[in-house]
Amino acid sequence: MLLHFILCLFTFPSTMALGTLQGSNSSAMNNIAKPGCQSHCGNITVPYPFGIGKDTGCSLYVWFHLNCNTSFDPPKLFLASDVEIYNISDSELRIFTSVDYRCYDQYGNVTNYYDSNRNGLYAFTLSGKNKFTVIGCDDLAVINGSGNGCYGSCTESSNVTAGECSGNGCCQTSITNGLHGYSVRFLTLQSHIDVLTINDCGYAFLGEENTFRFGGASDLSHSTDLIRRVESSVLVVLDWEIGQGYSCSEATECKENSECHGAADGGGYHCRCNQGYEGNPYLDQGCQGQFLV
Ligand SMILES: *[C@@H]1O[C@H](CO)[C@@H](O)[C@H](O)[C@H]1NC(C)=O
Ligand SMILES: *[C@@H]1O[C@H](CO)[C@@H](O)[C@H](O)[C@H]1NC(C)=O
Ligand SMILES: *[C@@H]1O[C@H](CO)[C@@H](O)[C@H](O)[C@H]1NC(C)=O
Ligand SMILES: *[C@@H]1O[C@H](CO)[C@@H](O)[C@H](O)[C@H]1NC(C)=O
Ligand SMILES: *[C@@H]1O[C@H](CO)[C@@H](O)[C@H](O)[C@H]1NC(C)=O
Ligand SMILES: *[C@@H]1O[C@H](CO)[C@@H](O)[C@H](O)[C@H]1NC(C)=O
């Protein structure tokens, strides 16, 4: 009888909570976003210190406010106007990559090109999980200002191999730590004149290691297929942190039952719930104890 009474006490509020959360099952669902703010954009979870909307007070800093565009179905989440977000975790942000390219004609003139300038990612750092990939038979591409780059070469008679990206039609290189954005610079030796029949364009993009597989000869000659495939499947990993330029001793953002952790690159920090607690350490009552049965 007494046990039944206690069970009722506990089940009543939790069914009420289930009702208002439309089937979401965890108490942690209550503390993703700041109270009164949107916690999702389509199926993407947006945890504070990120927040949706300009001047809504939903994010910690202006550069953590995101734009959820509902004219897409499902809605898409953007960092700047054209940087689409895939997901957000407690220290990383994944964005869709963008392929830069240069196409040439038989005179070696550029006929078509695209430059995605992603230099404005001030609060974010390009993760060391990314690689810079160049595809082409006569293309040296570099991340502007960093010295990171490589040369993809091949000759008309040569045989590029699908799945291999070590210089023959495809090359890949690591990037310098600490970059806050990037733009790409292209160079060629012969302006593709000698290789035009098998490859008229050079391509370059950044993306998480091991998420791109070189398709071989077809990737050298089918630009729209390659670009579509890469831009829908390759993600760039950004590290995020708060308090850039400050350290944990100056941190005021970590709420109860959480602790400050300095970022690996020295600038900024993260908050993390203490052991035995879960939730969002940047919100009041964000870290909730885990009750063991
Ligand atoms: C949402 O996306 C559409 C289609 O690209 C665009 O026309 C519109 O300006 C965007 N809305 C906002 C608020 O960015
Ligand atoms: C969101 O849904 C789309 C399909 O609608 C899927 O491709 C994507 O991986 C999902 N994203 C996340 C973060 O679950
Ligand atoms: C984000 O996406 C990556 C790559 O698919 C995945 O490994 C990671 O677990 C995802 N994180 C979150 C918080 O959804
Ligand atoms: C292409 O290159 C040739 C030779 O350099 C030059 O004479 C011509 O004006 C260029 N054509 C265009 C459209 O730029
Ligand atoms: C590369 O950097 C130089 C110097 O910072 C700048 O003048 C140039 O416009 C940049 N190029 C691209 C493609 O961003
Ligand atoms: C092309 O690759 C195959 C398999 O690696 C090899 O047997 C053949 O000799 C190569 N042909 C040329 C022209 O390099």
Side-chain angles (χ1 to χ4, degrees), residues 11 74 78 86 90 110 121 155 158 161 164 204 226 275 278:
T11 41
F78 294 93
Y86 174 76
D90 57 6
V110 173
L121 307 171
T155 58
S158 88
T161 312
E164 268 184 28
L226 172 70
Q275 199 158 17
E278 252 179 37

XYZ file of all heavy atoms in Angstrom, residues 11 74 78 86 90 110 121 155 158 161 164 204 226 275 278:
120
model
N 5.309 8.444 -10.468
C 4.879 8.285 -11.863
C 4.046 9.472 -12.332
O 4.123 9.843 -13.488
C 4.065 6.988 -12.084
O 3.209 6.827 -10.989
C 4.970 5.814 -12.264
N 13.475 18.594 -44.510
C 13.426 19.184 -43.167
C 14.217 20.496 -43.101
O 15.084 20.732 -43.962
C 14.099 18.105 -42.306
C 14.989 17.357 -43.238
C 14.317 17.398 -44.566
N 22.086 26.809 -40.145
C 23.262 27.474 -40.715
C 24.053 28.228 -39.659
O 23.483 28.813 -38.735
C 22.832 28.462 -41.808
C 22.235 27.791 -43.003
C 20.862 27.607 -43.092
C 23.036 27.325 -44.032
C 20.293 26.973 -44.196
C 22.489 26.695 -45.139
C 21.123 26.516 -45.221
N 25.763 20.051 -39.731
C 25.250 18.674 -39.694
C 24.853 18.277 -38.277
O 23.772 17.763 -38.049
C 26.306 17.711 -40.249
C 25.916 16.260 -40.113
C 24.968 15.701 -40.975
C 26.488 15.457 -39.132
C 24.597 14.379 -40.841
C 26.122 14.121 -39.008
C 25.175 13.586 -39.866
O 24.813 12.273 -39.731
N 29.429 18.168 -27.619
C 29.849 19.023 -26.505
C 31.175 19.745 -26.745
O 31.538 20.629 -25.983
C 29.855 18.246 -25.188
C 30.752 17.023 -25.266
O 31.453 16.845 -26.285
O 30.748 16.235 -24.306
N 40.812 29.627 -67.751
C 39.808 29.165 -66.785
C 38.428 29.450 -67.353
O 38.121 30.580 -67.731
C 40.004 29.874 -65.426
C 38.854 29.532 -64.488
C 41.331 29.474 -64.796
N 35.187 32.063 -39.640
C 34.723 31.168 -38.572
C 35.424 31.494 -37.249
O 35.933 30.607 -36.565
C 34.988 29.708 -38.977
C 34.443 29.294 -40.350
C 34.937 27.907 -40.738
C 32.922 29.317 -40.352
N 49.073 11.530 -66.111
C 49.251 11.788 -67.537
C 48.154 11.058 -68.280
O 47.490 10.190 -67.709
C 50.614 11.272 -68.026
O 50.674 9.879 -67.747
C 51.746 11.986 -67.331
N 48.151 7.394 -67.982
C 48.258 6.742 -66.666
C 46.907 6.290 -66.150
O 45.858 6.687 -66.621
C 48.945 7.654 -65.666
O 47.988 8.479 -65.046
N 43.896 5.023 -59.604
C 43.290 3.889 -58.916
C 42.236 4.357 -57.915
O 42.536 5.176 -57.044
C 44.377 3.087 -58.170
O 45.461 2.865 -59.067
C 43.842 1.768 -57.661
N 42.618 5.144 -53.943
C 43.987 5.563 -53.617
C 44.166 7.052 -53.820
O 43.908 7.572 -54.901
C 45.001 4.806 -54.473
C 45.478 3.551 -53.791
C 46.561 2.846 -54.594
O 47.303 3.524 -55.334
O 46.636 1.611 -54.476
N 39.253 20.911 -54.836
C 39.882 20.849 -53.515
C 38.829 21.050 -52.441
O 37.904 21.854 -52.612
C 40.972 21.911 -53.397
N 30.871 14.362 -58.895
C 31.858 14.409 -57.813
C 31.463 15.475 -56.783
O 31.449 15.204 -55.584
C 33.243 14.723 -58.382
C 34.318 14.998 -57.326
C 34.674 13.723 -56.565
C 35.562 15.622 -57.945
N 31.077 13.813 -12.526
C 30.746 12.394 -12.626
C 29.442 12.105 -11.856
O 29.249 12.618 -10.750
C 31.882 11.570 -12.036
C 31.832 10.143 -12.491
C 33.193 9.462 -12.370
O 34.079 9.950 -11.677
N 33.340 8.348 -13.041
N 24.406 14.414 -15.520
C 24.291 14.495 -16.969
C 23.440 15.680 -17.357
O 22.540 16.062 -16.616
C 23.590 13.231 -17.498
C 24.531 12.307 -18.230
C 23.832 11.063 -18.721
O 22.655 11.174 -19.129
O 24.461 9.996 -18.680
